[in-house]
Amino acid sequence: MATTSDAFVYTGPDTLAGRYLRSFWQPIYRSQDLERGRVVAVRIMSEDFTLYRGEGGAAHLIASRCAHRGTRLSTGWVEGDCLRCLYHGWKYDASGQCVEQPGEDGGFAAKVRLASYPTEEYLGLIFACLGEGGAPPLRRYPDFERPFVFEVGTPEIWPCNYFNRMENDPAHVPFVHRESLSRVGKGDQMAPRTVTAEETEYGVRATMRSAGQPARYVHYIMPNMTQTRSQTRVEGSVADAQRLWADRLFWHVPIDDHSNATFIVDLTHLSGMEADAYRKRRRSVEPARVETLNAFGAAVLAGRRALREMPADMSTYKQFWIEDYTSLVGQGSIPDREHERLGRIDAHIILLRSVWLRELKALAAGEPLKEWRIVPGMADMNA
Ligand code: FES
Ligand SMILES: [Fe+2]
């Protein structure tokens, strides 16, 4: 399989990037959205699956279609830790083994088995490993296990390739977010004077330097994650956005080549009574709704709305959503990378692509891949 210069974009089951991403655990659903006894259809990297939570509380991921005549198992019923097909009632256990077939002779069910995939829950997300050849241990993020205010955001399901999101850069903030920043009195932010990039144990680190300010860092964690410390993108009141900051992890998971789900967790460094008060304020905020926020971004792209028309009482978190949607979906679902004109502020993009292509070439050649590792203190590099 040859590697093209944009091979990281395409993640279907027969692609190199698809094989690579499938060898890592990926978040596929927010834990709180899947109650016991619920079954849903999920699409990941151009493949369909059935996700359900058994009555015992464990999440299970199996193939999309029933082995009998192929209807979607997401329309069936959860029974204990098993799933029964809507059409003729075949029943499967969590390993995908068929255990019951109404009207059939005993012995047939034992010969029928669907694909199933390991799942684990961590940081409020359901993770699955879709690769062949066994799952590695689930990677941990100790910075996010600290006892501050931990939240799992509404997954951002956007009509663009996951790599648009992966390549979002540190230099965009004063421009893309000019409207929301100005509303909290931070509209005078300067673009960084320099952006440098280096390869690390976990991926690529971008370092931004501006006159008279401490350096700031964005971590691009291989293969498809970003870690930031956000000083404004805070859910809550204007006062919260002016005063608080959060460490944030993003997983950019392809749904298919033209859409992705970004899963976000954030940790706001508050404790004691301040933490309790902030949790209460956050609970009183209307949750981010994908349809509403995406529709606003789409209307801006269509020329029917402008960012300055975002509602005055909308939280900075949601305004950032719309602003980032506008710039990243605005690049096209798969940007034309052949004709782009990269400059000095794109140092980390150039490096990230070359690291990705190096790994894909090694994968294609059957050579050893770099083992990425989370290191302590990544969050606290940012002052
Ligand atoms: S299609 Fe599922 S039982 Fe017939
Ligand atoms: Fe942004």
Side-chain angles (χ1 to χ4, degrees):
M1 212 179 287
T3 42
T4 55
S5 62
D6 61 351
F8 41 77
V9 165
Y10 305 99
T11 62
D14 300 324
T15 61
L16 271 177
R19 271 173 59 202
Y20 188 54
L21 285 173
R22 281 169 176 77
S23 68
F24 294 82
W25 288 89
Q26 300 290 347
I28 59 167
Y29 219 73
R30 193 161 64 151
S31 294
Q32 70 193 67
D33 296 333
L34 192 71
E35 60 267 31
R36 286 171 194 235
R38 179 143 191 247
V39 52
V40 293
V42 290
R43 187 165 175 78
I44 312 156
M45 293 186 260
S46 305
E47 287 189 284
D48 293 310
F49 302 90
T50 308
L51 173 68
Y52 68 98
R53 192 183 291 288
E55 286 160 7
H60 306 295
L61 187 71
I62 62 173
S64 162
R65 294 184 185 281
C66 180
H68 178 217
R69 286 177 52 207
T71 205
R72 296 289 294 265
L73 286 167
S74 55
T75 57
W77 300 273
V78 174
E79 295 181 7
D81 264 317
C82 296
L83 190 60
R84 189 182 291 283
C85 178
L86 172 86
Y87 202 176
H88 314 94
W90 285 22
K91 182 167 148 179
Y92 300 90
D93 72 13
S95 73
Q97 178 63 51
C98 188
V99 293
E100 207 181 297
Q101 296 167 316
E104 299 298 331
D105 291 337
F108 183 12
K111 296 181 191 143
V112 176
R113 187 172 186 145
L114 299 172
S116 69
Y117 306 85
T119 61
E120 280 202 47
E121 293 191 57
Y122 176 57
L123 295 181
L125 297 167
I126 301 171
F127 287 80
C129 193
L130 306 176
E132 288 161 6
L138 184 70
R139 195 156 67 177
R140 306 269 155 180
Y141 303 90
D143 282 349
F144 289 81
E145 294 178 9
R146 294 186 279 183
F148 299 122
V149 179
F150 178 81
E151 294 281 341
V152 188
T154 300
E156 298 182 357
I157 296 170
W158 291 6
C160 68
N161 186 261
Y162 81 106
F163 224 81
N164 294 35
R165 301 221 57 178
M166 192 63 193
E167 289 186 337
N168 200 15
D169 59 81
H172 78 276
V173 175
F175 304 102
V176 171
H177 302 298
R178 179 177 290 179
E179 178 63 29
S180 57
L181 290 171
S182 70
R183 293 182 185 189
V184 293
K186 297 182 182 178
D188 56 352
Q189 289 202 9
M190 304 285 283
R193 186 174 286 172
T194 63
V195 180
T196 53
E198 62 195 306
E199 184 170 344
T200 65
E201 302 93 317
Y202 53 82
V204 167
R205 177 165 56 232
T207 305
M208 294 149 286
R209 290 193 172 78
S210 304
Q213 286 178 19
R216 299 200 54 74
Y217 305 93
V218 176
H219 308 288
Y220 295 87
I221 301 172
M222 285 293 286
N224 59 327
M225 296 179 63
T226 324
Q227 180 175 337
T228 64
R229 178 166 286 183
S230 313
Q231 290 179 312
T232 306
R233 192 193 172 175
V234 167
E235 186 61 293
S237 64
V238 166
D240 286 328
Q242 283 169 329
R243 185 174 67 88
L244 300 180
W245 48 270
D247 284 320
R248 192 162 281 138
L249 270 182
F250 304 75
W251 287 260
H252 309 296
V253 182
I255 296 170
D256 54 34
D257 290 343
H258 295 275
S259 60
N260 85 97
T262 290
F263 294 89
I264 302 172
V265 298
D266 64 57
L267 193 72
T268 309
H269 289 234
L270 295 171
S271 45
M273 278 161 44
E274 271 202 308
D276 292 341
Y278 179 56
R279 282 195 189 94
K280 204 182 268 180
R281 289 203 296 286
R282 271 191 75 143
R283 274 197 296 274
S284 69
V285 173
E286 166 91 358
R289 293 196 192 287
V290 176
E291 298 76 16
T292 317
L293 299 173
N294 284 7
F296 202 108
V300 175
L301 287 174
R304 287 184 277 108
R305 304 294 297 265
L307 290 173
R308 64 178 178 281
E309 296 168 14
M310 291 188 292
D313 59 354
M314 182 181 268
S315 69
T316 310
Y317 186 90
K318 296 186 184 86
Q319 292 176 48
F320 263 55
W321 174 315
I322 293 171
E323 290 167 333
D324 283 319
Y325 179 105
T326 304
S327 59
L328 299 178
V329 176
Q331 290 181 291
S333 66
I334 297 180
D336 177 3
R337 289 188 173 81
E338 207 181 316
H339 295 102
E340 64 193 358
R341 304 291 299 273
L342 299 183
R344 287 194 303 176
I345 65 160
D346 303 307
H348 80 283
I349 290 178
I350 295 163
L351 180 58
L352 181 66
R353 291 179 189 176
S354 76
V355 166
W356 250 94
L357 291 174
R358 180 191 73 207
E359 295 302 306
L360 293 185
K361 278 187 185 135
L363 180 66
E367 290 164 3
L369 303 173
K370 180 162 173 179
E371 293 207 14
W372 305 104
R373 166 174 97 74
I374 300 303
V375 294
M378 286 163 63
D380 295 329
M381 285 186 72
N382 278 310

